Amino acid sequence: MPSAEPAALGAANGARAVRECAATGDGSLCPPWTFAGVPAITLPTGGAPSGLPHALPLVQTVATEARLLEAAAWCERVIGFSARPPES
């Protein structure tokens, strides 16, 4: 039986994000969660020296959105990231 605990996912595939506003990098990990119909959320966790963001994706089983949001809130408190992107 699958665990009901949220799963933190690692780096997508080594692809680097791009700087243009028209794209946010390789989105190849988004469709599987959408097609599976499971709740997912991505939390900002910091930034690279280049100014590009780091993030932590969390995914949960079907119909467990409340549990995912609780886990995400806990991660936000523990990580404590509060920076904003630089003004252009």
PDB file of all heavy atoms in Angstrom, residues 2-33:
ATOM      1  N   PRO A   2       0.620   2.234  -0.864  1.00  0.00           N
ATOM      2  CA  PRO A   2       1.444   3.438  -0.909  1.00  0.00           C
ATOM      3  C   PRO A   2       1.317   4.246   0.380  1.00  0.00           C
ATOM      4  O   PRO A   2       0.279   4.253   1.022  1.00  0.00           O
ATOM      5  CB  PRO A   2       0.899   4.224  -2.092  1.00  0.00           C
ATOM      6  CG  PRO A   2      -0.016   3.315  -2.820  1.00  0.00           C
ATOM      7  CD  PRO A   2      -0.382   2.211  -1.896  1.00  0.00           C
ATOM      8  N   SER A   3       2.373   4.916   0.717  1.00  0.00           N
ATOM      9  CA  SER A   3       2.373   5.777   1.896  1.00  0.00           C
ATOM     10  C   SER A   3       1.521   7.011   1.651  1.00  0.00           C
ATOM     11  O   SER A   3       1.448   7.513   0.533  1.00  0.00           O
ATOM     12  CB  SER A   3       3.815   6.214   2.199  1.00  0.00           C
ATOM     13  OG  SER A   3       3.820   7.218   3.168  1.00  0.00           O
ATOM     14  N   ALA A   4       0.886   7.519   2.679  1.00  0.00           N
ATOM     15  CA  ALA A   4       0.107   8.748   2.563  1.00  0.00           C
ATOM     16  C   ALA A   4       0.956   9.969   2.908  1.00  0.00           C
ATOM     17  O   ALA A   4       0.456  11.063   2.962  1.00  0.00           O
ATOM     18  CB  ALA A   4      -1.105   8.680   3.488  1.00  0.00           C
ATOM     19  N   GLU A   5       2.233   9.745   3.152  1.00  0.00           N
ATOM     20  CA  GLU A   5       3.121  10.861   3.484  1.00  0.00           C
ATOM     21  C   GLU A   5       3.519  11.616   2.224  1.00  0.00           C
ATOM     22  O   GLU A   5       3.704  11.019   1.175  1.00  0.00           O
ATOM     23  CB  GLU A   5       4.383  10.341   4.175  1.00  0.00           C
ATOM     24  CG  GLU A   5       4.100   9.669   5.491  1.00  0.00           C
ATOM     25  CD  GLU A   5       3.444  10.595   6.498  1.00  0.00           C
ATOM     26  OE1 GLU A   5       3.858  11.759   6.617  1.00  0.00           O
ATOM     27  OE2 GLU A   5       2.515  10.145   7.168  1.00  0.00           O
ATOM     28  N   PRO A   6       3.676  12.956   2.306  1.00  0.00           N
ATOM     29  CA  PRO A   6       4.120  13.719   1.141  1.00  0.00           C
ATOM     30  C   PRO A   6       5.527  13.289   0.731  1.00  0.00           C
ATOM     31  O   PRO A   6       6.335  12.898   1.560  1.00  0.00           O
ATOM     32  CB  PRO A   6       4.145  15.158   1.628  1.00  0.00           C
ATOM     33  CG  PRO A   6       3.412  15.166   2.905  1.00  0.00           C
ATOM     34  CD  PRO A   6       3.432  13.773   3.451  1.00  0.00           C
ATOM     35  N   ALA A   7       5.790  13.365  -0.536  1.00  0.00           N
ATOM     36  CA  ALA A   7       7.108  12.997  -1.050  1.00  0.00           C
ATOM     37  C   ALA A   7       7.810  14.229  -1.584  1.00  0.00           C
ATOM     38  O   ALA A   7       7.243  14.963  -2.381  1.00  0.00           O
ATOM     39  CB  ALA A   7       6.956  11.963  -2.152  1.00  0.00           C
ATOM     40  N   ALA A   8       9.000  14.487  -1.130  1.00  0.00           N
ATOM     41  CA  ALA A   8       9.801  15.586  -1.663  1.00  0.00           C
ATOM     42  C   ALA A   8      10.573  15.056  -2.858  1.00  0.00           C
ATOM     43  O   ALA A   8      11.141  13.968  -2.806  1.00  0.00           O
ATOM     44  CB  ALA A   8      10.760  16.089  -0.598  1.00  0.00           C
ATOM     45  N   LEU A   9      10.565  15.799  -3.927  1.00  0.00           N
ATOM     46  CA  LEU A   9      11.234  15.367  -5.145  1.00  0.00           C
ATOM     47  C   LEU A   9      12.534  16.113  -5.323  1.00  0.00           C
ATOM     48  O   LEU A   9      12.641  17.283  -4.984  1.00  0.00           O
ATOM     49  CB  LEU A   9      10.337  15.639  -6.354  1.00  0.00           C
ATOM     50  CG  LEU A   9       8.970  14.986  -6.280  1.00  0.00           C
ATOM     51  CD1 LEU A   9       8.137  15.417  -7.466  1.00  0.00           C
ATOM     52  CD2 LEU A   9       9.113  13.487  -6.248  1.00  0.00           C
ATOM     53  N   GLY A  10      13.491  15.457  -5.907  1.00  0.00           N
ATOM     54  CA  GLY A  10      14.788  16.073  -6.152  1.00  0.00           C
ATOM     55  C   GLY A  10      14.796  16.910  -7.418  1.00  0.00           C
ATOM     56  O   GLY A  10      13.760  17.199  -7.994  1.00  0.00           O
ATOM     57  N   ALA A  11      15.976  17.287  -7.851  1.00  0.00           N
ATOM     58  CA  ALA A  11      16.141  18.094  -9.050  1.00  0.00           C
ATOM     59  C   ALA A  11      15.519  17.391 -10.243  1.00  0.00           C
ATOM     60  O   ALA A  11      15.573  16.178 -10.369  1.00  0.00           O
ATOM     61  CB  ALA A  11      17.614  18.338  -9.302  1.00  0.00           C
ATOM     62  N   ALA A  12      14.948  18.184 -11.126  1.00  0.00           N
ATOM     63  CA  ALA A  12      14.224  17.650 -12.276  1.00  0.00           C
ATOM     64  C   ALA A  12      15.087  16.694 -13.088  1.00  0.00           C
ATOM     65  O   ALA A  12      14.891  15.496 -13.063  1.00  0.00           O
ATOM     66  CB  ALA A  12      13.730  18.792 -13.145  1.00  0.00           C
ATOM     67  N   ASN A  13      16.025  17.201 -13.788  1.00  0.00           N
ATOM     68  CA  ASN A  13      16.867  16.342 -14.619  1.00  0.00           C
ATOM     69  C   ASN A  13      18.186  17.036 -14.915  1.00  0.00           C
ATOM     70  O   ASN A  13      18.807  16.766 -15.922  1.00  0.00           O
ATOM     71  CB  ASN A  13      16.144  15.959 -15.906  1.00  0.00           C
ATOM     72  CG  ASN A  13      15.749  17.172 -16.710  1.00  0.00           C
ATOM     73  OD1 ASN A  13      16.119  18.284 -16.369  1.00  0.00           O
ATOM     74  ND2 ASN A  13      15.001  16.960 -17.753  1.00  0.00           N
ATOM     75  N   GLY A  14      18.564  17.942 -14.065  1.00  0.00           N
ATOM     76  CA  GLY A  14      19.802  18.671 -14.267  1.00  0.00           C
ATOM     77  C   GLY A  14      19.644  19.852 -15.197  1.00  0.00           C
ATOM     78  O   GLY A  14      20.580  20.610 -15.398  1.00  0.00           O
ATOM     79  N   ALA A  15      18.455  20.033 -15.764  1.00  0.00           N
ATOM     80  CA  ALA A  15      18.235  21.159 -16.662  1.00  0.00           C
ATOM     81  C   ALA A  15      18.282  22.451 -15.865  1.00  0.00           C
ATOM     82  O   ALA A  15      17.832  22.510 -14.727  1.00  0.00           O
ATOM     83  CB  ALA A  15      16.888  21.019 -17.357  1.00  0.00           C
ATOM     84  N   ARG A  16      18.821  23.469 -16.448  1.00  0.00           N
ATOM     85  CA  ARG A  16      18.910  24.756 -15.773  1.00  0.00           C
ATOM     86  C   ARG A  16      17.723  25.623 -16.156  1.00  0.00           C
ATOM     87  O   ARG A  16      17.252  25.581 -17.273  1.00  0.00           O
ATOM     88  CB  ARG A  16      20.207  25.451 -16.170  1.00  0.00           C
ATOM     89  CG  ARG A  16      21.410  24.594 -15.857  1.00  0.00           C
ATOM     90  CD  ARG A  16      22.653  25.349 -16.133  1.00  0.00           C
ATOM     91  NE  ARG A  16      23.204  25.602 -14.820  1.00  0.00           N
ATOM     92  CZ  ARG A  16      24.040  26.566 -14.546  1.00  0.00           C
ATOM     93  NH1 ARG A  16      24.443  27.384 -15.461  1.00  0.00           N
ATOM     94  NH2 ARG A  16      24.509  26.730 -13.337  1.00  0.00           N
ATOM     95  N   ALA A  17      17.280  26.420 -15.223  1.00  0.00           N
ATOM     96  CA  ALA A  17      16.201  27.363 -15.512  1.00  0.00           C
ATOM     97  C   ALA A  17      16.738  28.460 -16.420  1.00  0.00           C
ATOM     98  O   ALA A  17      17.939  28.714 -16.467  1.00  0.00           O
ATOM     99  CB  ALA A  17      15.684  27.961 -14.206  1.00  0.00           C
ATOM    100  N   VAL A  18      15.844  29.073 -17.115  1.00  0.00           N
ATOM    101  CA  VAL A  18      16.242  30.153 -18.020  1.00  0.00           C
ATOM    102  C   VAL A  18      15.878  31.497 -17.413  1.00  0.00           C
ATOM    103  O   VAL A  18      15.020  31.584 -16.553  1.00  0.00           O
ATOM    104  CB  VAL A  18      15.582  29.988 -19.401  1.00  0.00           C
ATOM    105  CG1 VAL A  18      16.077  28.737 -20.085  1.00  0.00           C
ATOM    106  CG2 VAL A  18      14.074  29.945 -19.274  1.00  0.00           C
ATOM    107  N   ARG A  19      16.505  32.552 -17.860  1.00  0.00           N
ATOM    108  CA  ARG A  19      16.267  33.874 -17.310  1.00  0.00           C
ATOM    109  C   ARG A  19      15.093  34.613 -17.938  1.00  0.00           C
ATOM    110  O   ARG A  19      14.591  35.553 -17.375  1.00  0.00           O
ATOM    111  CB  ARG A  19      17.523  34.730 -17.452  1.00  0.00           C
ATOM    112  CG  ARG A  19      18.590  34.362 -16.469  1.00  0.00           C
ATOM    113  CD  ARG A  19      19.638  35.478 -16.454  1.00  0.00           C
ATOM    114  NE  ARG A  19      20.533  35.320 -15.349  1.00  0.00           N
ATOM    115  CZ  ARG A  19      20.293  35.774 -14.122  1.00  0.00           C
ATOM    116  NH1 ARG A  19      19.178  36.382 -13.840  1.00  0.00           N
ATOM    117  NH2 ARG A  19      21.167  35.608 -13.170  1.00  0.00           N
ATOM    118  N   GLU A  20      14.648  34.206 -19.121  1.00  0.00           N
ATOM    119  CA  GLU A  20      13.574  34.933 -19.781  1.00  0.00           C
ATOM    120  C   GLU A  20      12.270  34.792 -19.006  1.00  0.00           C
ATOM    121  O   GLU A  20      11.991  33.749 -18.449  1.00  0.00           O
ATOM    122  CB  GLU A  20      13.361  34.412 -21.210  1.00  0.00           C
ATOM    123  CG  GLU A  20      14.542  34.615 -22.116  1.00  0.00           C
ATOM    124  CD  GLU A  20      15.549  33.483 -22.004  1.00  0.00           C
ATOM    125  OE1 GLU A  20      15.152  32.320 -21.788  1.00  0.00           O
ATOM    126  OE2 GLU A  20      16.753  33.775 -22.104  1.00  0.00           O
ATOM    127  N   CYS A  21      11.465  35.826 -19.026  1.00  0.00           N
ATOM    128  CA  CYS A  21      10.179  35.782 -18.334  1.00  0.00           C
ATOM    129  C   CYS A  21       9.173  34.885 -19.048  1.00  0.00           C
ATOM    130  O   CYS A  21       8.201  34.454 -18.464  1.00  0.00           O
ATOM    131  CB  CYS A  21       9.604  37.187 -18.205  1.00  0.00           C
ATOM    132  SG  CYS A  21      10.548  38.229 -17.087  1.00  0.00           S
ATOM    133  N   ALA A  22       9.415  34.592 -20.333  1.00  0.00           N
ATOM    134  CA  ALA A  22       8.479  33.778 -21.099  1.00  0.00           C
ATOM    135  C   ALA A  22       8.541  32.312 -20.706  1.00  0.00           C
ATOM    136  O   ALA A  22       7.668  31.536 -21.051  1.00  0.00           O
ATOM    137  CB  ALA A  22       8.766  33.925 -22.592  1.00  0.00           C
ATOM    138  N   ALA A  23       9.564  31.887 -19.992  1.00  0.00           N
ATOM    139  CA  ALA A  23       9.704  30.484 -19.618  1.00  0.00           C
ATOM    140  C   ALA A  23      10.317  30.377 -18.234  1.00  0.00           C
ATOM    141  O   ALA A  23      11.016  31.272 -17.793  1.00  0.00           O
ATOM    142  CB  ALA A  23      10.587  29.757 -20.637  1.00  0.00           C
ATOM    143  N   THR A  24      10.026  29.288 -17.563  1.00  0.00           N
ATOM    144  CA  THR A  24      10.585  29.078 -16.231  1.00  0.00           C
ATOM    145  C   THR A  24      11.471  27.857 -16.178  1.00  0.00           C
ATOM    146  O   THR A  24      11.690  27.290 -15.123  1.00  0.00           O
ATOM    147  CB  THR A  24       9.465  28.933 -15.190  1.00  0.00           C
ATOM    148  OG1 THR A  24       8.629  27.845 -15.587  1.00  0.00           O
ATOM    149  CG2 THR A  24       8.650  30.201 -15.074  1.00  0.00           C
ATOM    150  N   GLY A  25      11.956  27.427 -17.316  1.00  0.00           N
ATOM    151  CA  GLY A  25      12.827  26.263 -17.346  1.00  0.00           C
ATOM    152  C   GLY A  25      12.094  25.034 -17.809  1.00  0.00           C
ATOM    153  O   GLY A  25      11.009  25.097 -18.375  1.00  0.00           O
ATOM    154  N   ASP A  26      12.678  23.894 -17.564  1.00  0.00           N
ATOM    155  CA  ASP A  26      12.135  22.626 -18.017  1.00  0.00           C
ATOM    156  C   ASP A  26      10.925  22.248 -17.168  1.00  0.00           C
ATOM    157  O   ASP A  26      11.048  22.010 -15.969  1.00  0.00           O
ATOM    158  CB  ASP A  26      13.226  21.554 -17.910  1.00  0.00           C
ATOM    159  CG  ASP A  26      12.788  20.213 -18.428  1.00  0.00           C
ATOM    160  OD1 ASP A  26      11.620  20.084 -18.836  1.00  0.00           O
ATOM    161  OD2 ASP A  26      13.623  19.298 -18.431  1.00  0.00           O
ATOM    162  N   GLY A  27       9.779  22.190 -17.789  1.00  0.00           N
ATOM    163  CA  GLY A  27       8.559  21.855 -17.070  1.00  0.00           C
ATOM    164  C   GLY A  27       8.167  20.393 -17.209  1.00  0.00           C
ATOM    165  O   GLY A  27       7.006  20.040 -17.024  1.00  0.00           O
ATOM    166  N   SER A  28       9.135  19.535 -17.516  1.00  0.00           N
ATOM    167  CA  SER A  28       8.818  18.129 -17.787  1.00  0.00           C
ATOM    168  C   SER A  28       8.262  17.376 -16.582  1.00  0.00           C
ATOM    169  O   SER A  28       7.672  16.315 -16.743  1.00  0.00           O
ATOM    170  CB  SER A  28      10.047  17.401 -18.327  1.00  0.00           C
ATOM    171  OG  SER A  28      11.066  17.345 -17.348  1.00  0.00           O
ATOM    172  N   LEU A  29       8.450  17.895 -15.375  1.00  0.00           N
ATOM    173  CA  LEU A  29       7.912  17.192 -14.209  1.00  0.00           C
ATOM    174  C   LEU A  29       6.491  17.598 -13.866  1.00  0.00           C
ATOM    175  O   LEU A  29       5.844  16.954 -13.044  1.00  0.00           O
ATOM    176  CB  LEU A  29       8.806  17.416 -12.989  1.00  0.00           C
ATOM    177  CG  LEU A  29      10.128  16.676 -13.017  1.00  0.00           C
ATOM    178  CD1 LEU A  29      10.907  16.920 -11.743  1.00  0.00           C
ATOM    179  CD2 LEU A  29       9.917  15.193 -13.207  1.00  0.00           C
ATOM    180  N   CYS A  30       5.966  18.641 -14.498  1.00  0.00           N
ATOM    181  CA  CYS A  30       4.597  19.078 -14.195  1.00  0.00           C
ATOM    182  C   CYS A  30       3.523  18.144 -14.762  1.00  0.00           C
ATOM    183  O   CYS A  30       2.598  17.775 -14.049  1.00  0.00           O
ATOM    184  CB  CYS A  30       4.368  20.497 -14.695  1.00  0.00           C
ATOM    185  SG  CYS A  30       5.399  21.705 -13.867  1.00  0.00           S
ATOM    186  N   PRO A  31       3.594  17.752 -16.047  1.00  0.00           N
ATOM    187  CA  PRO A  31       2.510  16.930 -16.609  1.00  0.00           C
ATOM    188  C   PRO A  31       2.220  15.622 -15.878  1.00  0.00           C
ATOM    189  O   PRO A  31       1.047  15.271 -15.739  1.00  0.00           O
ATOM    190  CB  PRO A  31       2.969  16.679 -18.049  1.00  0.00           C
ATOM    191  CG  PRO A  31       3.810  17.867 -18.369  1.00  0.00           C
ATOM    192  CD  PRO A  31       4.540  18.166 -17.073  1.00  0.00           C
ATOM    193  N   PRO A  32       3.213  14.882 -15.400  1.00  0.00           N
ATOM    194  CA  PRO A  32       2.841  13.621 -14.727  1.00  0.00           C
ATOM    195  C   PRO A  32       1.897  13.821 -13.545  1.00  0.00           C
ATOM    196  O   PRO A  32       0.953  13.050 -13.360  1.00  0.00           O
ATOM    197  CB  PRO A  32       4.185  13.048 -14.261  1.00  0.00           C
ATOM    198  CG  PRO A  32       5.181  13.632 -15.208  1.00  0.00           C
ATOM    199  CD  PRO A  32       4.659  15.013 -15.520  1.00  0.00           C
ATOM    200  N   TRP A  33       2.111  14.849 -12.754  1.00  0.00           N
ATOM    201  CA  TRP A  33       1.247  15.085 -11.586  1.00  0.00           C
ATOM    202  C   TRP A  33      -0.127  15.559 -12.040  1.00  0.00           C
ATOM    203  O   TRP A  33      -1.145  15.171 -11.472  1.00  0.00           O
ATOM    204  CB  TRP A  33       1.885  16.082 -10.631  1.00  0.00           C
ATOM    205  CG  TRP A  33       3.263  15.660 -10.242  1.00  0.00           C
ATOM    206  CD1 TRP A  33       4.417  16.371 -10.418  1.00  0.00           C
ATOM    207  CD2 TRP A  33       3.657  14.423  -9.651  1.00  0.00           C
ATOM    208  NE1 TRP A  33       5.492  15.644  -9.978  1.00  0.00           N
ATOM    209  CE2 TRP A  33       5.062  14.448  -9.497  1.00  0.00           C
ATOM    210  CE3 TRP A  33       2.973  13.284  -9.236  1.00  0.00           C
ATOM    211  CZ2 TRP A  33       5.772  13.391  -8.956  1.00  0.00           C
ATOM    212  CZ3 TRP A  33       3.687  12.228  -8.699  1.00  0.00           C
ATOM    213  CH2 TRP A  33       5.062  12.290  -8.559  1.00  0.00           C
TER     214      TRP A  33
END
